[in-house]
Amino acid sequence: MSPSTRRQVVFVAVFLVIVLLFMLTFRLSIVDGDSMLPTYHSGQIVLVWRRGPFCPPLRRNEVVLVRQAREVIIKRIARLPGEPLGHSFPDLQALAFRNGLADYYEQHIVQTSHGPQVELTVPKGYIVVLGDNLAVSEDSRVFGPVPEKDVLGVVVNSPPPPYTSIRP
């Protein structure tokens, strides 16, 4: 085999290894719907780092792809395992009681100035996800906490949202 042929074979082999590593590490996904407006628009492509055994732990405010029922949805992590739901906006604890989801959370009795009250915390191995557009998002306020094992990956980058020309 000549030196130039050998270089071509090595180049093709290295290229294929790089493509294979990229395919095993990342995935592309298309945003469907308006639940993540204004951060991500419907039709926008996002680059997702697949979750695996060597991935760092999830962090609050990361945008993730989650398997929910038979769909893959994109949402932002609002609470991590062991964190209280709290009463900040949106009042996730009040919504959990109102929507009949309180049983999906760990319940603790805490003493307050108004007497004992139930405080809900996210169970171990689960996270709470919310859409950025709370008015239209179906998220943990509707279906409760999500198992961490159902997180498919973390969004790491995306091109700008698609723009459409407005014609008179």
Side-chain angles (χ1 to χ4, degrees):
M1 190 181 312
S2 71
S4 67
T5 305
R6 189 175 307 142
R7 273 185 296 214
Q8 289 175 348
V9 168
V10 168
F11 175 77
V12 168
V14 168
F15 177 76
L16 290 175
V17 167
I18 290 171
V19 168
L20 180 66
L21 286 174
F22 182 83
M23 296 298 290
L24 293 174
T25 307
F26 295 98
R27 78 184 274 178
L28 294 175
S29 187
I30 299 174
V31 178
D32 183 26
D34 295 332
S35 70
M36 288 301 291
L37 284 173
T39 309
Y40 299 108
H41 298 257
S42 188
Q44 188 171 359
I45 296 172
V46 292
L47 179 65
V48 179
W49 182 16
R50 293 178 189 259
R51 295 277 302 152
F54 303 111
C55 290
L58 295 171
R59 296 183 311 222
R60 187 190 283 217
N61 290 324
E62 283 183 322
V63 177
V64 293
L65 283 187
V66 177
R67 184 181 308 112
Q68 176 58 33
R70 293 188 173 166
E71 296 181 39
V72 174
I73 59 175
I74 182 170
K75 301 293 177 199
R76 187 174 305 277
I77 298 175
R79 301 286 186 278
L80 294 168
E83 291 185 345
L85 291 189
H87 296 285
S88 60
F89 179 81
D91 190 345
L92 297 174
Q93 182 157 316
L95 289 168
F97 282 112
R98 187 176 316 131
N99 295 338
L101 299 171
D103 291 341
Y104 293 104
Y105 296 95
E106 292 179 2
Q107 300 182 16
H108 306 281
I109 304 296
V110 293
Q111 292 296 330
T112 66
S113 58
H114 303 294
Q117 291 188 346
V118 175
E119 179 182 80
L120 301 179
T121 59
V122 181
K124 182 178 179 182
Y126 287 80
I127 59 172
V128 171
V129 293
L130 295 175
D132 288 353
N133 186 357
L134 294 174
V136 300
S137 180
E138 289 187 8
D139 45 40
S140 289
R141 298 171 299 160
V142 175
F143 49 74
V146 175
E148 285 183 281
K149 66 178 179 59
D150 287 348
V151 175
L152 302 175
V154 177
V155 175
V156 292
N157 203 353
S158 67
Y163 295 101
T164 58
S165 60
I166 299 173
R167 297 188 178 154

